[in-house]
Amino acid sequence: MTDPVTLPDLLAMKRRGEKIACLTAYDASSAALQDEAGIEVILVGDSLGNVIQGQPTTLSVTLDHMVYHTACVQRAARRALVLADLPFLSYCTPEQAVRSAARLIRDGGAQVVKLEGGRERLDVVRFLTEQNVPVCGHLGLQPQAIHRLGRYALQGRDAESACRMVEDARQLAEAGAMLLVLECIPWELAQEITGAVDIPTIGIGAGRHCDGQVLVWQDMLGMSARLPRFCKDFLAGNAGVREAVSAYVREVKAGIFPGDRHSFGRDGP
Ligand code: KIV
C-alpha cells in the first residue's frame, strides 16, 4: 500500500501542478473502491441529506448523521484523506465549532473538517486552526444557505460578488484554512481564486483550472434523477463501478474532466 495522503502532500501536488481527485462517499464499500482507484480525498459531504436520506436540502443533516457516515468511510479509507462536513448550525461560534469538530475527528475519524462561508467564518476558522483542527473552506454555491439564496444557482457572475469571493478566499487561507472547495462558479473566477491562494482549491462546477475536482458519488455513477450540467456519468461507457472511478481519476489527472460543456463561463454557458 502507498502511504496515506496528507495535507502537505496535497499542497505539494498544487505546487507541482498535479491534479487532486476527490469524490464524496458515505459508506465503507464505496470508500474502499474509491481508495483502491487512487482517489486522494474522500469527502463525507452533508449532501448525504439529498442522496442517502432523500431530503430536499442538506439542512436536516445532524452531527450524529455526519459522525456515523464518517466512521463508515474512515474504516475503509486506507490511503485517502477523509474530509467531513460540519453540518448546518453546528459551527455558529468557535466553541461550538470545536465541539462539533471533535466529534467528527474523535468519533468519526475525519482528518479535516469542511465548513461553508467566507469572511463571516474567520473567527471559527482561526480558532479551529489554533486547536490543530485542519479546516477546508467552501465558497461559491453554499447549499446550507439555500433558504437565503432561494435556489441552487451559479454564484460570482457579477464583478462585485466575484471580487468579494476572491477576497474571502484570501482571508480564509490567511486564517488557516488548508483546502478550499469552490462550488458552481464561473471557471474564470475559479482560476483567479486558485492563483490567488497558496492552498489547494477543489472545484465542483467550477471548471478545469482548480487544483482538484470533486463530484457527488451518486451523480458520477449516473444514479441521480437529473444529472447537473457540470457532472458526467462515468459509468456510461465503462464496464463497471471500478472502471468508472478509474476513468474519473484518469480524466481529472489529465485535465480532461471537467471539459467546456461541464463548466460555466462568466458571460454565459
Ligand atoms: O456535501 C457535499 O457533497 C459537498 C460537495 C458538493 C462539495 O459539499
Side-chain angles (χ1 to χ4, degrees):
M1 187 187 87
T2 35
D3 289 339
V5 177
T6 65
L7 282 164
D9 292 335
L10 299 179
L11 189 60
M13 287 176 74
K14 175 181 177 103
R15 293 194 177 132
R16 289 196 299 271
E18 193 184 325
K19 299 284 185 189
I20 299 162
C22 174
L23 283 173
T24 70
Y26 318 96
D27 67 275
S29 318
S30 307
L33 225 133
Q34 295 180 6
D35 194 78
E36 282 160 24
I39 289 290
E40 274 107 9
V41 181
I42 300 180
L43 168 62
V44 188
D46 60 357
S47 51
L48 70 86
N50 307 109
V51 295
I52 302 292
Q53 299 174 340
Q55 299 283 6
T57 72
T58 60
L59 306 185
S60 52
V61 175
T62 65
L63 195 53
D64 284 341
H65 297 151
M66 288 306 307
V67 169
Y68 173 79
H69 287 279
T70 304
C72 295
V73 165
Q74 186 273 334
R75 279 179 215 120
R78 301 167 69 86
R79 175 178 173 267
L81 187 87
V82 177
L83 165 62
D85 265 334
L86 282 164
F88 183 54
L89 297 184
S90 73
Y91 51 98
C92 303
T93 64
E95 293 72 22
Q96 186 200 17
V98 100
R99 277 196 303 274
S100 303
R103 292 225 39 227
L104 289 179
I105 293 171
R106 283 203 193 114
D107 305 339
Q111 286 145 291
V112 186
V113 301
K114 178 162 81 59
L115 52 85
E116 297 181 10
R119 61 198 69 189
E120 71 283 7
R121 302 290 181 203
L122 294 180
D123 282 357
V124 166
V125 173
R126 247 183 239 115
F127 192 66
L128 288 172
T129 302
E130 281 164 12
Q131 313 311 317
N132 286 322
V133 174
V135 177
C136 173
H138 183 148
L139 293 174
L141 178 60
Q142 295 166 31
Q144 291 177 11
I146 184 58
H147 292 321
R148 179 168 57 75
L149 294 172
R151 65 196 181 97
Y152 297 104
L154 189 69
Q155 304 293 306
R157 207 165 215 170
D158 62 278
E160 193 187 327
S161 63
C163 261
R164 192 177 163 86
M165 211 182 295
V166 176
E167 191 46 37
D168 278 346
R170 283 209 182 94
Q171 290 189 20
L172 284 170
E174 266 168 38
M178 297 185 79
L179 287 174
L180 181 59
V181 165
L182 299 174
E183 179 167 356
C184 276
I185 61 173
W187 65 262
E188 299 94 330
L189 176 56
Q191 182 177 33
E192 187 180 345
I193 293 174
T194 300
V197 295
D198 289 335
I199 58 174
T201 59
I202 312 282
I204 175 163
R208 65 160 67 91
H209 298 285
C210 297
D211 298 306
Q213 298 294 330
V214 58
L215 285 179
V216 170
W217 181 231
Q218 281 75 359
D219 288 346
M220 68 84 71
L221 292 177
M223 290 165 67
S224 310
R226 213 186 114 265
L227 198 66
R229 156 160 175 201
F230 56 78
C231 193
K232 174 173 168 182
D233 176 355
F234 281 87
L235 195 52
N238 280 298
V241 177
R242 274 175 214 284
E243 290 77 5
V245 189
S246 297
Y248 172 74
V249 172
R250 238 184 356 261
E251 291 197 19
V252 167
K253 299 270 171 204
I256 296 169
F257 178 81
D260 290 344
R261 67 197 169 95
H262 307 115
S263 308
F264 308 98
R266 203 168 249 158
D267 302 319

